[in-house]
Amino acid sequence: MSKFRTTEISNPEFESNNLRFITVKTSNLKGRGDICVFVPSGENLKNIPIITLLHGVYGSAWIWAHKAGVHFTAMKMMNEGSIQPMVIAMPSDGLWGDGSAYLPHNSFNFEKWIVEDVIEATIENIACTSSKSNLFISGLSMGGYGALRLGAKYANKYKGISGHSSITNIDQINLFVEESKANYKQDIKENEDVFAIMNQNKESLPAIRFDCGINDLLIEHNRALHHKLTEAKIDHNYQEFEGSHEWEYWQDHIKDTFLFFSDLC
């Protein structure tokens, strides 16, 4: 029995390039949420991993596919045998303001939408996945913040987490959105900071990687996170590459995330 009052899923007759679209109604959003899902081709696929891939500010469920062609990248890597077959679930962030930051606030639970609803909707509707599927989470910018923060907070749920050009503390959201930072305030301040949550859960963290372009406006924040994790002896993989806060960078370096997650399976 479905946990969702209503579910709509795209008709295979009209789908293309292995993309499927799911809309569910959830109490966490007080309405409907969208998920774009890449489902790999192949016979007898079952219990395959699920990557939750989060977008940044201003975006939605379609943006990783139609700004970066992430499904083509995944298909190519799977066909070459460089990564295992994996489902990629790309949800909207809940479409609050310029970006929800994947935090609970303003009477919406954007956090549970990601860590509960998106996974359950994927398992309910994508036959090659199940409750036995390994779970991974990644994202860019605000989505990198969501992935690193939620992956650390729900450490026992995910096998690996990855961030690209990530916000590392909610204070940095003001670089991108017009909404007041007060909207994002959490009752427990540590819940606003990636390092604080990682440090709290340091004994149970999944595998961690993150990267940033050397010309990115968030580079110093990512370097600071790397330094704090190193000082705290929290195992992680941090890399810097040429590039800025732009789609060309994310389109290229999502490959690093796919390889990292595939190696963990």
Side-chain angles (χ1 to χ4, degrees):
M1 181 177 177
S2 175
K3 73 161 284 186
F4 305 105
R5 180 179 178 275
T6 60
T7 299
E8 290 285 355
I9 186 165
S10 52
N11 185 337
E13 181 181 354
F14 305 115
E15 293 171 355
S16 61
N17 299 317
N18 297 72
L19 292 180
R20 194 162 299 172
F21 291 86
I22 303 170
T23 299
V24 295
K25 186 176 184 184
T26 166
S27 60
N28 288 316
L29 297 182
K30 302 185 186 302
R32 290 161 292 147
D34 290 328
I35 313 167
C36 175
V37 188
F38 166 77
V39 184
S41 304
E43 297 181 0
N44 303 316
L45 295 177
K46 61 180 183 178
N47 307 324
I48 69 172
I50 301 169
I51 299 173
T52 301
L53 186 57
L54 306 180
H55 64 78
V57 292
Y58 324 134
S60 186
W62 60 268
I63 205 162
W64 264 109
H66 295 295
K67 288 276 275 191
V70 71
H71 51 312
F72 293 120
T73 299
M75 265 194 290
K76 184 174 186 290
M77 295 178 77
M78 290 175 197
N79 290 337
E80 292 171 346
S82 56
I83 62 172
Q84 298 185 35
M86 293 181 277
V87 162
I88 307 172
M90 297 168 275
S92 73
D93 69 327
L95 303 182
W96 183 90
D98 280 328
S100 71
Y102 306 98
L103 287 161
H105 60 83
N106 289 284
S107 300
F108 299 96
N109 201 322
F110 303 108
E111 178 174 302
K112 286 190 175 181
W113 156 241
I114 298 300
V115 301
E116 295 180 4
D117 296 334
V118 169
I119 293 166
E120 291 186 40
T122 301
I123 291 171
E124 282 187 15
N125 293 284
I126 307 301
C128 59
T129 67
S130 77
S131 59
K132 296 180 181 178
S133 295
N134 286 323
L135 302 179
F136 301 93
I137 189 167
S138 181
L140 66 88
S141 191
M142 180 186 76
Y145 173 73
L148 297 178
R149 195 187 75 83
L150 295 175
K153 185 174 180 180
Y154 298 88
N156 294 325
K157 180 181 285 281
Y158 297 100
K159 193 163 185 179
I161 58 181
S162 176
H164 302 281
S165 313
S166 304
I167 289 172
T168 61
N169 183 288
I170 199 57
D171 288 347
Q172 298 149 32
I173 198 75
N174 282 358
L175 294 169
F176 304 98
V177 306
E178 68 174 0
E179 287 77 23
S180 168
K181 191 182 73 175
N183 285 287
Y184 302 94
K185 185 177 179 181
Q186 300 296 292
D187 292 337
I188 300 173
K189 191 166 180 60
E190 287 74 14
N191 282 333
E192 300 173 3
D193 184 72
V194 169
F195 172 73
I197 292 181
M198 287 186 172
N199 199 41
Q200 284 175 355
N201 296 299
K202 64 189 300 181
E203 303 305 322
S204 59
L205 290 171
I208 302 167
R209 76 163 303 281
F210 61 105
D211 62 68
C212 196
I214 59 174
N215 295 315
D216 196 298
L217 76 168
L218 295 173
I219 184 64
E220 294 303 330
H221 298 297
N222 279 259
R223 287 172 175 167
L225 175 60
H226 166 55
H227 178 73
K228 289 177 182 177
L229 291 171
T230 301
E231 292 253 299
K233 296 183 167 55
I234 296 174
D235 191 36
H236 66 286
N237 180 339
Y238 173 63
Q239 294 173 284
E240 294 182 3
F241 302 101
E242 292 290 333
S244 302
H245 208 80
E246 59 190 358
W247 278 103
E248 182 180 3
Y249 179 90
W250 303 318
Q251 181 179 350
D252 188 22
H253 291 289
I254 190 61
K255 299 171 190 173
D256 300 312
T257 285
F258 290 160
L259 290 167
F260 179 69
F261 289 164
S262 186
D263 286 346
L264 292 171
C265 293

